[in-house]
Amino acid sequence: MGWEALAQWGDDVVRVEPLAGGVANDVWSLRVNGHLAVGRAGTRSDADLAWETGLLVHLDRAGLTVPVPIPTTDGRLFADGLVVMTYLEGGPPETQADWRRVAATLRELHRLTRDWPQRPGWRSSTDLLHAETGTRINLGAMPPEGVARCRAAWARLSGRRTCVVHGDPNPRNVRITADRVALIDWDESHVDVPDLDLVLPGNAAGLDDDAHDIAAQASAAWEAAVCWDDDYSVKRLAEVRPV
């Protein structure tokens, strides 16, 4: 899956060991010119990868701690579906104070990406009030009653300003140290309503009761639709209230 392209990062590049990645990608730790890095090979389009790598460069320059794409020897940020990025140290959030730091980092992401263009081929939750498909979502594969429940949850987000959401801020995708919070694995990032990122353990983002309910219902509906129909998606759909 695309690893022949690794030669385009030069002669001193070695695959070390596989890492946990998404279902759509093959992720490995690498050594690039003696430094630890991460490589991700997949089947995303060039337009999709250009959107993601451009976003990461923007966020890095704005001061957020994110994996930074390492260019090929001729200056490209990806090649043949392969992206090579800096490796970020740290552990997952463990305390409520950690999660409050995560919430602050997510809000900074949202502030830095207001009016950002949508990831190619993706739809926002409110787009799916009228659209049937978008990247990994196919509402036609879901039971009509389930679609109605999801759309009712997303309709409560209508009219909100959008920005880039990380899309999957679970503990595995956060790397915390004493002095910074890093967000990794941007494979699910897209433009949507920011509160979808803020359904965090212990309501660390401090949403009021109504805002938290709206966000939690919309988030459960999104995860049901994007994963349909594995066991997790069925569980998430069960959390979305009937219409």
Side-chain angles (χ1 to χ4, degrees):
M1 185 188 279
W3 289 107
E4 300 82 2
L6 201 54
Q8 298 182 58
W9 275 263
D11 297 329
D12 189 10
V13 183
V14 180
R15 272 201 290 174
V16 179
E17 61 182 355
L19 300 173
V23 294
N25 298 300
D26 189 20
V27 184
W28 282 66
S29 61
L30 310 173
R31 290 260 172 211
V32 179
N33 299 320
H35 298 286
L36 196 58
V38 174
R40 190 191 75 199
T43 57
R44 290 280 174 90
S45 69
D46 283 358
D48 183 284
L49 294 177
W51 185 94
E52 183 184 352
T53 54
L55 171 68
L56 293 173
V57 168
H58 168 74
L59 295 176
D60 173 64
R61 288 174 178 167
L64 237 55
T65 305
V66 297
V68 180
I70 299 170
T72 63
T73 55
D74 62 358
R76 288 172 294 152
L77 298 182
F78 57 90
D80 299 333
L82 179 63
V83 183
V84 176
M85 297 166 280
T86 54
Y87 178 85
L88 294 170
E89 301 281 356
E94 296 177 342
T95 67
Q96 202 58 19
D98 287 344
W99 279 110
R100 284 194 292 270
R101 293 173 65 200
V102 174
T105 301
L106 288 165
R107 284 193 163 110
E108 181 65 2
L109 159 68
H110 302 156
R111 185 188 70 81
L112 290 168
T113 57
R114 289 173 187 154
D115 304 318
W116 203 261
Q118 183 60 278
R119 191 170 192 153
W122 284 69
R123 307 277 191 184
S124 71
S125 53
T126 52
D127 288 336
L128 291 167
L129 295 175
H130 308 289
E132 288 282 320
T133 60
T135 308
R136 289 171 54 198
I137 290 179
N138 178 11
L139 296 181
M142 296 181 73
E145 184 269 343
V147 174
R149 283 158 61 189
C150 289
R151 283 178 163 161
W154 296 329
R156 299 169 74 194
L157 300 173
S158 293
R160 307 269 191 103
R161 190 168 186 175
T162 61
C163 59
V164 172
V165 295
H166 177 275
D168 192 15
N170 73 72
R172 297 183 304 278
N173 291 337
V174 181
R175 296 283 183 269
I176 284 188
T177 66
D179 58 354
R180 57 114 179 105
V181 175
L183 299 172
I184 65 170
D185 191 356
W186 292 77
D187 204 39
E188 300 294 320
S189 59
H190 63 284
V191 169
D192 217 315
V193 175
D195 280 8
L196 289 171
D197 264 348
L198 300 178
V199 185
L200 300 174
N203 190 21
L207 301 179
D208 65 40
D209 289 348
D210 189 50
H212 189 272
D213 181 69
I214 291 170
Q217 287 285 292
S219 179
W222 178 270
E223 291 190 353
V226 83
C227 300
W228 193 261
D229 61 348
D230 63 16
D231 290 344
Y232 180 71
S233 67
V234 172
K235 173 175 175 282
R236 292 296 269 157
L237 182 59
E239 297 170 21
V240 181
R241 286 190 295 273
V243 178

